[in-house]
Amino acid sequence: MTLLETSELTKSFGRMVAVDRVDLAVREGELTAVIGPNGAGKTTLFNVVTGKLRPTAGQVRFRGEDITGLPPHAVIRRGIGRSFQVTNLFPELPVFDSLRVAVLSHLRLTGQVLPTHRGARAAAGEAEQLLRELGLEAHGGRLCGTLSHADQRAVEIGLALAGRPRLLLLDEPTAGMGLEETAAMVRMMHGLAHRNGLTVVLVEHDMDVVFALAERIVVMHQGRIIADGPPESVRDNPGVREAYLGEPGAGR
Ligand SMILES: Nc1ncnc2c1ncn2[C@@H]1O[C@H](COP(=O)(O)OP(=O)(O)OP(=O)(O)O)[C@@H](O)[C@H]1O
Ligand SMILES: [Mg+2]
């Protein structure tokens, strides 16, 4: 089943067409990687899907509903969560509290709990579960700002998960990580991809990560999708090699 579908989705900045008539269908349960050189339009695509930016033209449908141009909070409420390319946490807040507050505000916003002790306990329980899932059990009491870069990225994914998304968009989750940290992030994403009812779309430059995880690869170049299919077919696609894999710095 198609979870997310864009048709002719376009975002221009003045004369620059960052996302150019993109037709993308994300199937439920399939881990999709979006790749492409710097400036290809990957982050902008996420931004127009999640309501951070309004598209210039085209449509976004999620679970059959037209969500084009909805503001971010309305998109989140419908079940799309995301992480950002740059870190984005409250450095002075402990990890556990960050997650707990995120869960609680989601439960309240969606009318699932009232501001009561019971609601607060439910949120704390869910935050504990997220800590375990993210491999952060030992760090719950630490201030976010004191965590390693890799653990901060994990907390950010936890904040997105606190909204109980059906679709999780991750923008370069392994950027700036060493080999071991990257391997840990890959294990975590593998777990997320098999989480009940969650579909993951990943923007990633590290081809080892892409080929370790992706069931499907979408290649963007100059705002357009130039290839879309299973990893083997994309790897062997000459247009992709030319546009992307052969470029200096493509594997950063
Ligand atoms: N807010 C903005 N205003 C003007 N131009 C923008 C804006 N955001 C992105 N762009 C331009 O749109 C194009 C696509 O950028 P985008 O950030 O989507 O690329 P990307 O594929 O995510 O690249 P990277 O791999 O470097 O993260 C680039 O030319 C960029 O300079
Ligand atoms: Mg980007």
Side-chain angles (χ1 to χ4, degrees), residues 43 85 171-172:
T43 297
Q85 195 167 346
D171 197 352
E172 300 198 32

Side-chain angles (χ1 to χ4, degrees), residues 107-131:
L107 293 177
R108 285 184 187 163
L109 267 177
T110 52
Q112 293 175 73
V113 299
L114 297 169
T116 59
H117 285 303
R118 212 156 65 84
R121 265 208 310 278
E126 201 164 318
E128 287 287 354
Q129 212 174 322
L130 284 171
L131 280 180

Side-chain angles (χ1 to χ4, degrees), residues 72-134:
H73 65 86
V75 173
I76 291 169
R77 210 177 298 180
R78 280 166 175 74
I80 303 182
R82 77 175 292 183
S83 74
F84 290 87
Q85 195 167 346
V86 287
T87 302
N88 194 9
L89 297 170
F90 289 116
E92 303 295 339
L93 204 59
V95 173
F96 177 74
D97 293 333
S98 303
L99 293 170
R100 187 175 53 79
V101 167
V103 172
L104 191 57
S105 65
H106 172 73
L107 293 177
R108 285 184 187 163
L109 267 177
T110 52
Q112 293 175 73
V113 299
L114 297 169
T116 59
H117 285 303
R118 212 156 65 84
R121 265 208 310 278
E126 201 164 318
E128 287 287 354
Q129 212 174 322
L130 284 171
L131 280 180
R132 280 194 295 277
E133 196 170 351
L134 302 166

Side-chain angles (χ1 to χ4, degrees), residues 176-240:
M177 290 188 187
L179 276 179
E180 260 174 54
E181 290 177 333
T182 299
M185 181 56 84
V186 167
R187 281 195 297 278
M188 192 181 105
M189 287 192 281
H190 192 263
L192 291 180
H194 293 89
R195 199 181 206 248
N196 238 349
L198 183 69
T199 301
V200 178
V201 178
L202 168 75
V203 164
E204 183 57 62
H205 279 287
D206 184 329
M207 287 305 128
D208 292 334
V209 173
V210 169
F211 284 98
L213 288 170
E215 294 161 295
R216 174 173 165 212
I217 299 178
V218 172
V219 188
M220 288 187 74
H221 183 48
Q222 296 175 349
R224 305 236 49 186
I225 292 182
I226 59 163
D228 181 354
E232 322 74 71
S233 77
V234 167
R235 194 202 306 255
D236 299 335
N237 181 314
V240 173

Side-chain angles (χ1 to χ4, degrees), residues 3-20:
L3 191 61
L4 177 79
E5 187 169 25
T6 72
S7 39
E8 300 262 311
L9 192 63
T10 301
K11 179 67 194 179
S12 308
F13 299 107
R15 279 200 202 142
M16 155 79 189
V17 188
V19 171
D20 190 3

